[in-house]
Amino acid sequence: MSGEEFVPLSLTPILIGVFTAVACALPGNFLVLRKQALIGDAISHVVLPGIVVAFLVTGSLAAWPMMIGAALAAVVAVILIEAIRRLGRIETGAAMGVVFTSMFAAGVLLLERSDTSTVHLDVEHALMGNLESLIWLDAYGWGSVLDPIALAGLPPELPRIFVTMLGVIAFTWLFWRPLKISTFDEGFAQGLGIRTGALGMALVIVSAIAAVAAFDAVGSIIVIAMFICPPAAARLMTNRLERQVGWSVVFAVLSAILGYVLAGYGPGWLGGDNAVSAAGMIAAVSGLILALATMFGPCRSRTGAPIEA
């Protein structure tokens, strides 16, 4: 494929997929190590009612109302999970399952009962996103990258998820030490004066912001996969935190690029006529990478050993 075809049709979807994968994988490392991987799954579900309510209140799909609605929904979900766990005296996983399935179902019902015919907000987009349609119509080749007029026509999802990724990177860098200490020894962190409760809530909110920024473009499937699969696969590659984060970013980027390419060209290579869902294929590739790491990762037999901070 020449630059005249690749840049307008494939460059922006691939970049959006890559930025989404990295933005979700970074906080996913800490969620996995804290044994809270299901929170990433829950976030990708509970943001839906927050997004729908924000749309019903504001009447638009502007970025800030959507992010605020999703962040508030994530906070409500965390509060409900803790309340159910304590009042019902059931284990955390069961409480998470009750809350995120109930909230996602509520979001689906709100979508079905609301007039969203004029915007790309429906059950199909909530699950699969619309990554394939995020093409750069004003591009004419690689020269468009340096053309201000062409750059003005970029899909708005690209700068949105790019800024979100930078924010997630900044949060991880600024709070690296307290995140690391509280992840491995919460009691010691509290003894040092680290507010572990507030830090954990901040991690959830950052994860929610990453999820909602990616939601319109890629749907909940990639969000779920990227929160869990790259960090879990990276955990099987090393027992050092810094290396794990690096591996997770590599796996996330590889999943996004390879998944998008296979979705578009894989069926043709196998004799098929139609492309398949990019979101579904990216999630499938991330799962395949995790499966390979499970079978061949150097630390697969030592996952119970403590990771080195």
Side-chain angles (χ1 to χ4, degrees):
M1 179 182 292
S2 64
E4 288 75 14
E5 296 177 341
F6 175 78
V7 175
L9 300 178
S10 298
L11 179 60
T12 50
I14 289 176
L15 289 177
I16 291 171
V18 168
F19 296 157
T20 297
V22 174
C24 294
L26 286 176
N29 282 283
F30 296 99
L31 295 177
V32 168
L33 291 174
R34 290 167 178 244
K35 295 180 170 56
Q36 296 176 337
L38 274 178
I39 287 183
D41 191 2
I43 288 171
S44 66
H45 284 74
V46 302
V47 296
L48 179 59
I51 289 173
V52 177
V53 170
F55 169 74
L56 293 177
V57 172
T58 63
S60 72
L61 288 176
W64 281 111
M66 298 298 102
M67 289 189 178
I68 292 173
L72 290 176
V75 172
V76 169
V78 171
I79 294 172
L80 287 176
I81 290 170
E82 189 65 17
I84 293 173
R85 186 184 69 83
R86 292 189 179 186
L87 297 177
R89 296 182 179 179
I90 62 176
E91 57 107 10
T92 304
M96 287 182 184
V98 170
V99 171
F100 75 65
T101 52
S102 299
M103 293 188 69
F104 187 74
V108 171
L109 291 176
L110 283 172
L111 274 179
E112 291 183 341
R113 301 299 299 174
S114 305
D115 181 15
T116 58
S117 58
T118 59
V119 295
H120 292 297
L121 184 61
D122 52 40
V123 176
E124 181 180 355
H125 282 96
L127 292 175
M128 307 297 294
N130 61 333
L131 186 60
E132 298 91 338
S133 67
L134 301 179
I135 58 178
W136 187 7
L137 294 176
D138 293 339
Y140 50 82
W142 288 109
S144 307
V145 177
L146 301 176
D147 186 345
I149 298 177
L151 289 173
L154 279 170
E157 290 83 359
L158 179 59
R160 182 189 310 166
I161 192 60
F162 178 67
V163 171
T164 301
M165 182 189 69
L166 292 181
V168 172
I169 293 173
F171 172 81
T172 306
W173 180 72
L174 289 172
F175 295 97
W176 176 262
R177 184 172 179 273
L179 278 172
K180 182 166 62 172
I181 296 173
S182 62
T183 295
F184 296 116
D185 194 334
E186 186 174 359
F188 179 63
Q190 292 173 345
L192 292 177
I194 298 174
R195 299 175 62 184
T196 56
L199 187 61
M201 183 64 71
L203 179 63
V204 171
I205 292 175
V206 167
S207 301
I209 291 173
V212 70
F215 198 85
D216 181 48
V218 302
S220 62
I221 290 181
I222 290 184
V223 174
I224 296 171
M226 291 302 107
F227 270 124
I228 300 174
C229 290
R235 176 68 181 91
L236 299 169
M237 301 300 295
T238 180
N239 280 329
R240 292 191 61 86
L241 179 59
E242 290 82 358
R243 292 177 184 174
Q244 175 182 321
V245 172
W247 273 111
S248 71
V249 171
V250 171
F251 289 151
V253 172
L254 183 62
S255 297
I257 296 175
L258 189 58
Y260 186 84
V261 172
L262 289 177
Y265 300 101
W269 296 338
L270 298 176
D273 296 327
N274 300 317
V276 298
S277 165
M281 184 59 74
I282 291 173
V285 170
S286 67
L288 178 61
I289 290 175
L290 176 57
L292 292 174
T294 302
M295 292 186 290
F296 304 110
C299 296
R300 64 188 186 281
S301 61
R302 295 183 284 135
T303 53
I307 193 169
E308 298 179 25

